[in-house]
Amino acid sequence: MKATLNDLFISKARVIHLSHFYKGWLMWEKNETDAEYRYRFSTLEGCGYFPKMPVILQSNGLPWDIGNAYLCGQLEKPNLSSMRTLTARATHLKYYLQFLEDSGLHFLDLPKLYYERAPQKFRLFMSQALDSNDFSAESINNILSTVAHFYNNIRFESLVTEASLENQPYTEIRKSIMTTNRLGLVRSTQVISNDLKIRSSRNHNPTIGKLRDGGSLRPLNLQELKSIFDGFKRNYASVELELMIRVALETGARQQTVCTLSIDCINKAYSQLEENPSMTNVVINAGQRYKADTKGSRLNRLIFSRNLICRLIVYIECERAEKRRLHGNSFYGDTGDNYVFLTRSGNPYYTAQREVLDRQDPNMSWNIKAPLLVPKNGQSLRNELGRFITRIKIREPSFELFTFHDLRATMGMNLVKSMRANDFSDSKIFDHVRQRLNHRNFKTTEGYLNFDAEVSEFNEIQEAFGDMMCGYESE
């Protein structure tokens, strides 16, 4: 069985979640009858609750004060994209706490000898774990980055005295890196890093037959797509799953974007098409201030065909969809703010950041009887996709597994093949693919343009090698 990070520690420190967390004031008052003091908690006016708030517990079951104080300080930070980000940071700090407990160290153990300081010992420990296990260097560095962020913020928030941090937990490193903008122009950018980061020589290139685009993705071939659409005809998929797959294949949108599309988005797009009969496509914006979420909240322009928008409108107006919106679990009810896709229990497939914020509004005008928010992360979608694939495999045993994210790579490769078939230049294809898939790194887009050639070259080499080995055997 593959080792996990938890296997590195004896400590039983863990992260739990509070369904309702309110920020407020703790005031101590003296009892009138005796000399004892008691505290009274009052919530901040106009501030709602935070759902699924992570709390770090020590091995003895008590909260880790400094770690949780750090997490509370992050709640109002504009760069905190979601509670999922906060949970990730809590998990990273939990690993650090486990190390401290196993080593008998304190987070303020920062002696004069640099490599005897707690963060530096943790870095060495994680470096050794990386060398002896099949862990991702990126994930290890994310943990170390959170530790650096933790020390930086407890100093900034004055959660510890300056004297306690007289000896620096880590050393900042200023360096220049070469970056490429959306136009392909290279420039030097100054960045601040630290010496906690581990350098790794591991190759991050994807395996042959896969693309690296927010993960290792496998574009589906034409036969697989035919099997999927044949599965739609045979009713192997729910109408919700079918439409979500169609949206992903046509727009290249990620799972969180597809699942957080709002009814208002689709209605607005449909109105644009009705006002302009000659239009064959329409743009729906996601990310930033728009209702649908995107990775890192970056602005993303999704291009929908008229046919797909019409399909979505038909679904939104059907009795099945209306019943799901009217379910008691549906926070937005039968309004345009609701998600296009809900499960049969009225829950979203993926909780949008706007719902987290809307539920904090004390004057919210939606379903106040909806149960407490339990953020969804797409597991219902993954379950439905798994059942769909299983039904296809019963009919076609050779059909391979795929993830919803693979549909994004499929859309990108279909776009490349279509444009090449119409004699577009590679530079034009590059620009179009990059814009449609909203890539930040030009190398990610290059992977799409080079994918077919690399796979063909690999297959030719393997075939030639096989012929050579057969020749040896016949001698």
Side-chain angles (χ1 to χ4, degrees), residues 440-455:
R440 300 183 73 172
N441 190 333
F442 77 96
K443 290 185 178 179
T444 304
T445 312
E446 282 184 346
Y448 281 85
L449 272 67
N450 298 334
F451 180 79
D452 280 341
E454 290 175 354
V455 172

Side-chain angles (χ1 to χ4, degrees), residues 266-381:
I266 305 303
N267 283 337
K268 183 179 178 182
Y270 183 69
S271 296
Q272 287 180 263
L273 293 170
E274 288 291 284
E275 293 170 5
N276 301 277
S278 61
M279 286 178 61
T280 57
N281 297 288
V282 65
V283 172
I284 292 180
N285 292 315
Q288 291 186 353
R289 65 184 183 277
Y290 299 101
K291 292 184 177 181
D293 290 349
T294 59
K295 183 179 180 180
S297 298
R298 292 178 59 219
L299 176 64
N300 198 353
R301 292 164 57 85
L302 306 173
I303 300 178
F304 285 72
S305 68
R306 176 182 288 271
N307 178 268
L308 182 54
I309 291 294
C310 289
R311 282 177 180 268
L312 292 170
I313 287 293
V314 170
Y315 171 73
I316 288 169
E317 294 177 350
C318 76
E319 184 180 351
R320 177 187 174 102
E322 182 182 11
K323 184 178 180 180
R324 295 188 177 205
R325 293 194 294 272
L326 292 175
H327 195 286
N329 289 334
S330 177
F331 174 69
Y332 289 110
D334 197 16
T335 69
D337 290 311
N338 214 333
Y339 303 83
V340 173
F341 305 112
L342 296 171
T343 66
R344 68 178 64 183
S345 60
N347 290 310
Y349 286 88
Y350 202 106
T351 303
Q353 284 307 297
R354 59 189 172 88
E355 182 177 347
V356 176
L357 296 174
D358 288 341
R359 281 178 177 261
Q360 294 180 38
D361 183 356
N363 301 314
M364 64 181 182
S365 57
W366 297 282
N367 181 13
I368 60 174
K369 295 182 179 180
L372 300 181
L373 174 63
V374 179
K376 307 300 180 185
N377 63 0
Q379 187 58 50
S380 295
L381 173 56

Side-chain angles (χ1 to χ4, degrees), residues 105 177 184 216 237 249 255 259 262 371 396 415 418 430 439 445 471:
L105 296 171
I177 61 171
S216 188
L249 284 173
Q255 174 181 275
C259 293
S262 73
E396 301 178 42
L415 192 58
S418 174
F430 178 90
H439 290 151
T445 312

Side-chain angles (χ1 to χ4, degrees), residues 455-473:
V455 172
S456 297
E457 183 180 11
F458 175 80
N459 290 336
E460 288 172 4
I461 292 172
Q462 288 298 101
E463 187 176 342
F465 180 73
D467 292 343
M468 182 179 68
M469 295 303 293
C470 289
Y472 289 148
E473 290 178 357

Side-chain angles (χ1 to χ4, degrees), residues 5 27 29 95 98 115 126 140 149 164 189 260 280 285 336-338 349 369 378 382 393 402 450 460 469:
L5 288 170
M27 291 170 286
E29 299 174 338
Y95 293 131
Q98 288 179 293
Y115 290 104
M126 297 306 284
I140 296 294
H149 193 264
S164 301
T189 303
T260 55
T280 57
N285 292 315
D337 290 311
N338 214 333
Y349 286 88
K369 295 182 179 180
R382 289 189 285 274
K393 285 181 71 66
F402 69 91
N450 298 334
E460 288 172 4
M469 295 303 293

